Amino acid sequence: MTTIGDVLDEFFSPLSSEKLWIMPESDNYTRIVRRWQPVIDASNRTKRNLAGNCSLWRSNFVTIPSWQPTKTDAPKPKSYREFVQSPPGTDPTTCKNAFMVYVASKFAKPPVIPVFLPEIQTEKLYTCSIGSFNIYTSVNKIDCTTRTAQMNFWMYNSMSRRSFGDFASHPVFSLCGMATQYMWWNWVESVDWSDGTVRTVKAAGGGGGGW
């Protein structure tokens, strides 16, 4: 399971290196982003677009099974793009407060006494660390006659020095590597709009089949 602490520790490490994070449907971080309202809203907009443009999706946005995420900002090919810029809760103050709680919990651990003190990684830390994001969606299956489809969602964000703005220039981070972290979250949903309303039939599970 991926934690935001894993990503942040790699990003701020003096020995930081670029890393690709692929988080499937079963990953805890994916569960967190899927219940984040900006992601819910973006996913619903995408579903409505599919329902209103089925033939377009059938011709242009079909999943390429061989595609794999890479350490690049290049968009996912043959996918419908929904971009969300600076959603609520990703402002500098919210992120700073959540990050300070996390850092304080790391340094609060006694250096000698063998006691377990968990690091505090709030849900706000998970989401504000994402900031702006893209959701690239394709269809694994689609039937415009029955008005059903299996949608393959890939959400993407890169954590870079630029992501942290002026905060990254603070002297306390002078020794931090801040190598770009490429993060992809993947899940699949089956939808039905046969009655005119887009409904999620079930969480299809089993990963996206696109990597």
Side-chain angles (χ1 to χ4, degrees):
M1 291 293 180
T2 308
T3 71
I4 186 56
D6 296 332
V7 182
L8 290 171
D9 289 351
E10 179 63 39
F11 180 73
F12 285 109
S13 168
L15 302 177
S16 175
S17 60
E18 290 190 352
K19 186 170 180 178
L20 178 65
W21 303 82
I22 301 176
M23 291 157 278
E25 192 165 332
S26 58
D27 195 281
N28 182 60
Y29 204 162
T30 304
R31 295 192 188 106
I32 289 173
V33 300
R34 290 185 69 185
R35 61 176 180 254
W36 187 26
Q37 195 60 49
V39 173
I40 293 172
D41 294 342
S43 299
N44 286 339
R45 288 193 297 270
T46 300
K47 292 172 186 177
R48 289 194 295 269
N49 186 280
L50 165 62
N53 302 278
C54 187
S55 59
L56 178 67
W57 279 70
R58 184 177 56 193
S59 299
N60 296 283
F61 303 135
V62 176
T63 299
I64 301 174
S66 61
W67 178 82
Q68 298 184 51
T70 58
K71 290 185 283 188
T72 175
D73 289 325
K76 182 177 181 290
K78 299 283 286 184
S79 296
Y80 178 83
R81 175 178 179 256
E82 181 73 26
F83 175 62
V84 179
Q85 185 172 18
S86 304
T90 62
D91 58 280
T93 299
T94 298
C95 290
K96 178 182 177 181
N97 291 341
F99 184 70
M100 288 177 65
V101 169
Y102 169 64
V103 172
S105 71
K106 286 178 70 70
F107 287 97
K109 295 182 178 182
V112 178
I113 303 173
V115 60
F116 175 72
L117 292 175
E119 296 171 355
I120 301 175
Q121 301 179 26
T122 64
E123 194 148 315
K124 285 184 178 179
L125 182 65
Y126 275 87
T127 54
C128 78
S129 297
I130 296 171
S132 303
F133 61 86
N134 282 289
I135 294 183
Y136 297 104
T137 310
S138 58
V139 286
N140 295 341
K141 304 174 185 177
I142 187 167
D143 189 325
C144 294
T145 301
T146 61
R147 298 182 181 181
T148 57
Q150 186 184 79
M151 304 180 74
N152 187 348
F153 294 91
W154 282 92
M155 176 175 160
Y156 170 73
N157 167 263
S158 63
M159 181 185 292
S160 65
R161 179 180 292 271
R162 184 176 60 182
S163 305
F164 284 80
D166 294 339
F167 188 49
S169 301
H170 194 285
V172 73
F173 300 120
S174 60
L175 297 179
C176 297
M178 297 190 187
T180 301
Q181 305 299 302
Y182 300 90
M183 299 182 287
W184 290 89
W185 298 264
N186 177 229
W187 68 93
V188 173
E189 295 183 37
S190 293
V191 294
D192 181 313
W193 64 99
S194 57
D195 62 358
T197 301
V198 184
R199 295 178 293 108
T200 300
V201 179
K202 62 178 179 178
W211 57 280

